[in-house]
Amino acid sequence: CTAASAPHPLIRDIIQKIPAEVIAKFYGCGNPIPLGIRGKRVLDLGSGSGRDCYVAAALVGSEGSVTGIDMTDEQLETARRNIEPFAETLGYRPSLSFVTGHIEFIRDAGIEDGSIDICISNCVLNLSPNKELVLKGVYDALAYGGELYFSDVYVDRRLSDDVRTHPILLGECIGGALYTQDFRRLCQKIGFAEPRELQASVIEVSDPELRKLVGDATFYSITYRLFKLEDTTGLEDREEDYGLTAVYKGTIEGHEDQYQFDNFNAFSRGAPTPVSGNVAAIISQSWLKDHIEIRGDRSKHY
């Protein structure tokens, strides 16, 4: 696994405050933690030692809450015993907790339906043998307007059984990589709006023997955004133009001048920016509506 890019300076600053033991046992492939989430309810899938939960706890502040779910007792012990030292650094005790469970069975771990605003995950989904069950559980746990904001490893074609079951490739987050188009179909089958790609970088498989096994397949570390909308009637199978615009208010901390919604849509503060019908539908129904105003009424198709 490899990081797609360096974390935002605000996140780097928080990481400096996290206990060393938590950082030392962290594994991940990206930076799946959005800014502007103060007061939100956050769930981290496969939280491990808890690094991303600690970052999220600082971002949501005393008004929000963060829950990590993991199946590994040793990692959970590390995450739990460092909460108090972190609280002393923050100056308040965050609403931060860790539960034992499998990411395929979120509800069984005590996560109620509709109780989460933001779900994050860092290079964990590909390790699950039943990705549909994981995504369906996240969909149920999210409140309407919430999102799954996560990084993982993907591939540009379907992999053979030899690759998908190879123990080293599985451990390196390669064997469990989903074909990007199968991932999109699966998300929409469950009910999510079409995945929005935020960041992507190529992962090189350099070991000669492993390279021979995977052949010409290209692997990527990708950060995706998946939104749960109450009304999906405005979503279409392509980006259509209705003359709609988005105006960013500059109200997300760390993104005061510009906000990157996905790889194709960036909004400068105060500047009306053309957006597709799909992007307008997602923003106007998600938690981002407090920060981005959609103008227009879809009365004319261009």
Side-chain angles (χ1 to χ4, degrees):
C1 300
T2 109
S5 65
H8 189 280
L10 285 177
I11 292 179
R12 292 205 299 270
D13 181 62
I14 296 169
I15 290 173
Q16 296 299 316
K17 302 174 182 177
I18 297 174
E21 183 185 25
V22 172
I23 300 295
K25 296 182 178 180
F26 167 75
Y27 304 94
C29 68
N31 305 293
I33 309 173
L35 299 181
I37 59 173
R38 182 167 296 277
K40 302 299 184 186
R41 301 164 297 176
V42 177
L43 173 67
D44 183 9
L45 301 182
S47 52
S49 66
R51 191 209 74 164
D52 288 344
C53 288
Y54 280 70
V55 173
L59 292 173
V60 302
S62 58
E63 314 98 288
S65 64
V66 179
T67 303
I69 178 173
D70 202 271
M71 66 179 186
T72 309
D73 290 335
E74 183 182 355
Q75 290 284 69
L76 287 167
E77 289 172 8
T78 298
R80 289 168 179 152
R81 67 171 166 259
N82 283 282
I83 293 176
E84 290 303 329
F86 187 58
E88 292 179 9
T89 301
L90 288 180
Y92 63 88
R93 195 185 194 287
S95 179
L96 173 59
S97 61
F98 297 90
V99 298
T100 304
H102 292 79
I103 61 174
E104 295 86 358
F105 305 105
I106 295 172
R107 188 183 291 118
D108 292 348
I111 308 301
E112 297 180 1
D113 290 354
S115 66
I116 300 298
D117 300 309
I118 307 288
C119 183
I120 61 176
S121 176
N122 201 329
C123 200
V124 171
L125 183 63
N126 73 79
L127 297 174
S128 172
N130 193 328
K131 297 171 178 60
E132 181 172 357
L133 202 57
V134 177
L135 290 170
K136 180 62 168 63
V138 171
Y139 183 86
D140 292 340
L142 285 173
Y144 286 115
E147 72 164 307
L148 170 58
Y149 185 111
F150 69 115
S151 294
D152 223 305
V153 178
Y154 294 86
V155 64
D156 67 346
R157 66 201 67 193
R158 297 186 182 103
L159 300 172
S160 68
D161 288 343
D162 289 344
V163 173
R164 291 192 299 109
T165 59
H166 192 279
I168 294 179
L169 290 174
L170 279 173
E172 294 293 329
C173 300
I174 294 296
L178 267 177
Y179 170 42
T180 50
Q181 297 307 315
D182 285 343
F183 168 69
R184 290 177 179 275
R185 297 182 186 102
L186 178 57
C187 292
Q188 291 175 289
K189 172 187 173 183
I190 289 169
F192 283 108
E194 181 184 11
R196 312 303 303 195
E197 181 182 302
L198 181 61
Q199 292 178 334
S201 61
V202 174
I203 294 176
E204 298 290 345
V205 180
S206 56
D207 182 275
E209 291 300 316
L210 298 182
R211 183 72 257 175
K212 184 178 179 180
L213 278 171
V214 301
D216 293 331
T218 301
F219 296 86
Y220 304 89
S221 173
I222 303 177
T223 299
Y224 276 117
R225 310 185 74 170
L226 286 176
F227 291 87
K228 178 180 178 178
L229 307 184
E230 188 168 11
D231 181 6
T232 59
T233 56
L235 298 177
E236 301 173 279
D237 61 0
R238 53 171 284 170
E239 305 297 304
E240 300 287 2
D241 182 6
Y242 294 95
L244 303 170
T245 60
V247 180
Y248 176 48
K249 302 175 184 178
T251 49
I252 294 179
E253 184 183 10
H255 300 299
E256 288 82 2
D257 295 324
Q258 186 181 74
Y259 185 74
Q260 191 80 34
F261 174 70
D262 60 19
N263 267 345
F264 304 101
N265 294 275
F267 308 123
S268 296
R269 181 179 57 190
T273 306
V275 293
S276 69
N278 285 350
V279 171
I282 291 172
I283 291 175
S284 63
Q285 292 188 61
S286 75
W287 67 276
L288 292 170
K289 67 181 182 293
D290 295 334
H291 304 284
I292 304 171
E293 177 190 356
I294 299 297
R295 297 177 181 176
D297 58 10
R298 298 176 72 110
S299 59
K300 185 176 180 179
H301 182 216
Y302 294 88

